[in-house]
Amino acid sequence: MLKGISPLISPELLKILCEMGHGDEILLADANYPAESCGPKVVRADGIDIPSLLKGIMDLFPLDTYVNENVILMSPNEGKPSIWERYEEVLKASGEDVRIGTLSRFDFYERASKAYAVVATGERALYANIILKKGVISL
């Protein structure tokens, strides 16, 4: 255990967050996402919901401010998933310059296949997948 780091952040996930560089992306995948077959390395976070994990990550993770969209959500054909409201609350509370974009399911899969890593969560909400693009920490 470390001070100031959520206990939901496993040692493996903390290592990955540290390894990532400016512009690298990480996918927080819901329980239905084909995490193991999509390409990037997978970190298991079974039983953890994405909003709770997102809060722990955003306490540590700078978002990229050199792009139009630094958070990408998988959009359904119709409507807005209710979990997105929880994401917006967590992201707003982080103090980061959040710029949310959306991609259709198959475009999202394509983008996610190039992510640095996938965190396979226990999130059961549909269309709950979210990509974060890492920024820089300036002095």
Side-chain angles (χ1 to χ4, degrees):
M1 297 287 295
L2 296 171
K3 294 166 92 176
I5 297 176
S6 167
L8 301 179
I9 307 292
S10 68
E12 183 181 12
L13 178 54
L14 184 60
K15 178 181 181 287
I16 284 171
L17 294 172
C18 287
E19 289 172 347
M20 291 174 65
H22 180 218
D24 282 340
E25 295 181 341
I26 190 165
L27 165 61
L28 307 184
D30 65 34
N32 290 301
Y33 195 86
E36 299 291 343
S37 64
C38 77
K41 63 181 113 180
V42 175
V43 179
R44 303 300 308 185
D46 299 296
I48 300 174
D49 66 277
I50 292 178
S52 298
L53 187 60
L54 180 62
K55 162 73 171 91
I57 289 171
M58 291 309 299
D59 287 344
L60 307 170
F61 195 88
L63 290 175
D64 194 340
T65 57
Y66 294 93
V67 294
N68 292 330
E69 300 166 339
N70 51 23
V71 175
I72 308 296
L73 302 171
M74 180 191 281
S75 63
N77 292 334
E78 296 179 12
K80 177 181 174 182
S82 60
I83 196 161
W84 289 9
E85 293 172 16
R86 293 182 62 201
Y87 293 169
E88 290 166 0
E89 291 171 12
V90 171
L91 292 165
K92 182 178 179 186
S94 74
E96 288 290 316
D97 180 4
V98 178
R99 303 169 186 179
I100 299 174
T102 62
L103 288 173
S104 65
R105 179 177 162 210
F106 292 107
D107 289 340
F108 189 96
Y109 286 162
E110 177 63 28
R111 177 128 179 206
S113 72
K114 298 177 181 109
Y116 187 83
V118 175
V119 182
T121 73
E123 181 59 60
R124 297 182 69 186
L126 300 178
Y127 290 93
N129 305 298
I130 179 172
I131 294 173
L132 305 173
K133 188 174 200 69
K134 190 171 185 183
V136 298
I137 297 174
S138 58
L139 299 176

